[in-house]
Amino acid sequence: YFGLSLLFASIVFENYSPYMFDDSAFTLRYLDNFWEGFFYHYNKSDPPVFGISSFTFGIFTGLWCWLHVLTPEQSIHFTSFLGVVAVSFLLLKILRELVKENALVLVLWFAIIFSSKMFLNVAKSGMESPFHVSIVLLAILLFLQNKSRWMWLLLAISVISKLDAVPVVFVIGLTF
C-alpha cells in the first residue's frame, strides 16, 4: 500500500498545477518569519498571532523552516507531498479494514481518491488539506482497529488542527 501511495503522490505532484494559491500566501508569510525565529508572527514587529487555517500544518511546516532544513516553499511542498502519501495509504488501510478483497479495495480507493478533482488540485497548492485529512483518516483507522487511546488523541489533534473536524469527532464519539 505504501508503494502505491508513494507512486500516486508522485503522479499528482508531477501532473497537477504547480501554483500555490489561496491561504498558502498567508502560510508562506508565517513560514518566512518562522525561518527568522519568529513563532507565529505575521509581522515581525507584532506579537505572535495564530492566523492560518491549520495549527498543526503551521507547526509542522514551521519546524522545517525554523530548523533551516527547508525553505518555506519547500516545506509546504514537502508537507503536502507527505499528506497525499498519507491520505492515500490511510484510505487503503481503512478500506482494507472494511473490505477483505484486494481487488475491491483498489477499485474503491480509485473511486474515492479521484472523486474530487479539486482535492487533487488543492493537494499541491500549498493548502493544509492533505495534511489535515491524513490526521482525520488516521483517527478513523484507529477507530476501526478499536485503539481508543490513540484514536481520541488523534481526534483531539484533528480538532486543534482545524475546527472542521468537530462533526467527525462528534459522530465517532456517538458510535464509539
Side-chain angles (χ1 to χ4, degrees):
Y1 290 151
F2 183 73
L4 175 62
S5 298
L6 199 57
L7 176 65
F8 171 71
S10 298
I11 291 169
V12 168
F13 272 72
E14 183 64 31
N15 293 298
Y16 280 82
S17 174
Y19 302 108
M20 289 188 175
F21 60 84
D22 202 29
D23 288 357
S24 61
F26 294 111
T27 304
L28 282 169
R29 174 83 175 247
Y30 277 98
L31 294 179
D32 284 339
N33 291 329
F34 263 95
W35 180 271
E36 295 183 30
F38 294 92
F39 179 77
Y40 268 117
H41 283 71
Y42 188 75
N43 296 311
K44 294 176 207 166
S45 60
D46 295 337
V49 62
F50 172 68
I52 60 174
S53 301
S54 171
F55 183 75
T56 54
F57 183 73
I59 293 294
F60 192 80
T61 54
L63 178 65
W64 298 108
C65 294
W66 181 70
L67 293 173
H68 291 227
V69 173
L70 299 171
T71 67
E73 192 169 328
Q74 290 170 336
S75 178
I76 285 177
H77 284 300
F78 174 71
T79 304
S80 296
F81 182 82
L82 289 180
V84 173
V85 171
V87 164
S88 174
F89 179 77
L90 292 166
L91 183 56
L92 285 163
K93 296 289 282 181
I94 288 168
L95 289 169
R96 186 67 174 132
E97 288 286 326
L98 300 171
V99 178
K100 298 305 176 201
E101 188 180 326
N102 280 330
L104 185 55
V105 167
L106 291 176
V107 168
L108 290 170
W109 172 83
F110 189 85
I112 293 168
I113 208 82
F114 287 103
S115 66
S116 170
K117 181 181 183 225
M118 198 55 175
F119 176 75
L120 297 177
N121 280 326
V122 167
K124 192 176 173 184
S125 71
M127 301 291 288
E128 72 282 347
S129 300
F131 188 80
H132 176 68
V133 170
S134 68
I135 295 169
V136 173
L137 288 177
L138 182 54
I140 292 170
L141 178 62
L142 294 168
F143 167 76
L144 292 171
Q145 294 174 341
N146 206 24
K147 296 179 179 176
S148 63
R149 273 192 171 162
W150 290 106
M151 174 198 75
W152 286 114
L153 175 65
L154 267 290
L155 288 172
I157 291 170
S158 72
V159 169
I160 291 167
S161 174
K162 204 163 169 65
L163 289 176
D164 296 358
V166 169
V168 174
V169 173
F170 180 74
V171 170
I172 289 176
L174 286 177
T175 59
F176 192 72

